[in-house]
Amino acid sequence: MQIKEIIYGIFGVIRGRILKFLTKNEGYKQFGYFCSMKGLKAIFNFYINASIHIALAVVCLLQITGILFAIEISNYLLCFVFFSTISCYNFIKYGVEAEKYFLVVKAYHKKIQFVSLVSLTYALYCSFFLTKEAILGCFLLIILTGIYAIPVLPKARNFRDLGGLKILPVALVWSGITVIIPFLNIKQPLSWDIYMEALQRFILVLILLIPFEIRDLKYDPPGLNTLPQKYGVTKSKIFGAYAVIVFFLITYLKDSIATLDLVSKGILFLLLGVLMYTTKRNQSIYFASFWVEAIPIVWLGIVYGLNLFVGI
């Protein structure tokens, strides 16, 4: 009996040690998994907060223009648009007041500031390889961006404080930089179809801004008179739905309608319709900042897919 008890005791100790080891090992795995997920989430948040995601979206719209009109978009123009978008958007988000932008206290904002300054440096370098016409056009758009962010109006701190009108400069800048500038850079005259494409791009950006305005209802001051504040969430979504229809129908106003242009915008029409339907006041944290801003990236994927696999 004693031997049997001793054997049971030994096996009990061994089993206890094994279970303890496995438990500890599983704990290490869980901790490592938690750390890796936390690290990935931090990188993902920085990707969004540092305006890298929005810059990628703008570049995708630029590439779409090149594909639809069969023109070459130079790498210098792509880099210029990408890096200038990062620096401009970060200035609008974090540096409306120059003092807050350059005298940064928080370490996280210092990292964003560093990315912005490096991006500005690259953008300035790439600008030397653009045509004079493109540089002049970009300069005018930069002035418009400055008017949007910097206080120049007597009764409003800046253009963003003008309520519903604040989205117009944003849409105009996106339209200009992704449609007009590429043609100025190759010194090609602007045709009717180019203007129609610019108008479509203008409306597209207005549509994409609606989910942001609905999201910001809880943050915007009551007297800002944004579209959702003035007409409510439901009517704002209805306005967006009508804008989606107008966006697609403008395609038929072009003198030359390419099949790729029509089909890709038809798919985008459905995608934007779903966006207006699913947009709500209480959004998930990444709905607007990631998924809505990813629509130009998805559109480029659609264009590439139709061009490569379907042969349109």
Side-chain angles (χ1 to χ4, degrees):
M1 293 295 293
Q2 291 180 352
I3 295 175
K4 188 182 290 188
E5 290 176 358
I6 292 172
I7 292 173
Y8 281 143
I10 292 173
F11 275 111
V13 171
I14 293 173
R15 185 179 65 176
R17 292 292 180 91
I18 292 173
L19 289 174
K20 189 175 181 181
F21 170 77
L22 290 175
T23 304
K24 278 189 173 182
N25 192 37
E26 184 64 26
Y28 287 137
K29 286 183 179 179
Q30 290 178 357
F31 180 73
Y33 175 78
F34 172 76
C35 288
S36 62
M37 290 302 295
K38 187 176 181 181
L40 289 174
K41 186 177 180 180
I43 294 172
F44 181 72
N45 287 333
F46 187 81
Y47 165 76
I48 293 176
N49 295 333
S51 303
I52 300 173
H53 186 58
I54 191 70
L56 183 61
V58 176
V59 168
C60 286
L61 290 177
L62 188 62
Q63 283 281 50
I64 290 170
T65 299
I67 296 172
L68 294 182
F69 287 89
I71 62 172
E72 182 179 357
I73 308 294
S74 71
N75 291 331
Y76 288 113
L77 179 58
L78 288 172
C79 291
F80 172 80
V81 171
F82 179 76
F83 290 114
S84 61
T85 300
I86 292 176
S87 57
C88 287
Y89 260 83
N90 286 341
F91 177 76
I92 291 172
K93 288 194 294 186
Y94 306 106
V96 176
E97 299 178 20
E99 181 180 350
K100 291 183 180 179
Y101 192 62
F102 294 104
L103 301 177
V104 179
V105 177
K106 294 183 179 180
Y108 187 79
H109 288 162
K110 284 183 178 181
K111 294 177 183 178
I112 294 178
Q113 182 191 50
F114 176 76
V115 171
S116 302
L117 293 177
V118 171
S119 298
L120 180 61
T121 302
Y122 273 107
L124 290 174
Y125 170 76
C126 293
S127 67
F128 287 102
F129 299 92
L130 305 181
T131 63
K132 293 180 180 179
E133 292 81 0
I135 293 175
L136 178 60
C138 290
F139 180 72
L140 294 176
L141 293 176
I142 289 173
I143 291 177
L144 186 58
T145 303
I147 293 174
Y148 174 80
I150 299 173
V152 293
L153 301 173
K155 294 184 179 180
R157 293 191 304 112
N158 49 51
F159 218 99
R160 291 193 299 177
D161 294 333
L162 291 181
L165 295 178
K166 73 174 186 177
I167 62 178
L168 299 182
V170 178
L172 189 60
V173 170
W174 275 54
S175 176
I177 202 71
T178 63
V179 178
I180 304 299
I181 297 300
F183 292 97
L184 293 180
N185 196 50
I186 60 175
K187 298 182 179 181
Q188 180 174 324
L190 301 178
S191 64
W192 170 259
D193 286 355
I194 295 173
Y195 285 122
M196 289 299 98
E197 182 66 29
L199 178 59
Q200 280 185 301
R201 209 65 60 87
F202 178 85
I203 296 174
L204 173 63
V205 177
L206 291 180
I207 295 168
L208 296 180
L209 286 172
I210 290 176
F212 285 91
E213 296 227 314
I214 293 175
R215 179 200 66 180
D216 292 340
L217 270 173
K218 63 180 73 173
Y219 308 111
D220 288 335
L224 197 56
N225 290 325
T226 62
L227 195 65
Q229 284 181 338
K230 199 169 183 179
Y231 300 104
V233 173
T234 302
K235 289 185 178 180
S236 297
K237 292 172 64 174
I238 293 174
F239 170 80
Y242 280 117
V244 171
I245 297 173
V246 173
F247 162 79
F248 178 70
L249 291 180
I250 290 176
T251 309
Y252 291 97
L253 296 179
K254 292 183 176 181
D255 293 330
S256 177
I257 306 175
T259 305
L260 178 61
D261 188 15
L262 185 62
V263 175
S264 67
K265 284 176 181 171
I267 298 174
L268 183 62
F269 165 79
L270 298 176
L271 183 62
L272 293 173
V274 172
L275 172 66
M276 287 298 102
Y277 179 76
T278 56
T279 297
K280 53 187 178 181
R281 182 165 186 166
N282 296 319
Q283 304 173 8
S284 64
I285 187 173
Y286 297 118
F287 178 80
S289 60
F290 179 75
W291 294 111
V292 174
E293 290 182 351
I295 285 181
I297 303 174
V298 174
W299 186 20
L300 179 61
I302 293 170
V303 171
Y304 273 133
L306 292 173
N307 197 12
L308 294 175
F309 299 107
V310 184
I312 298 178

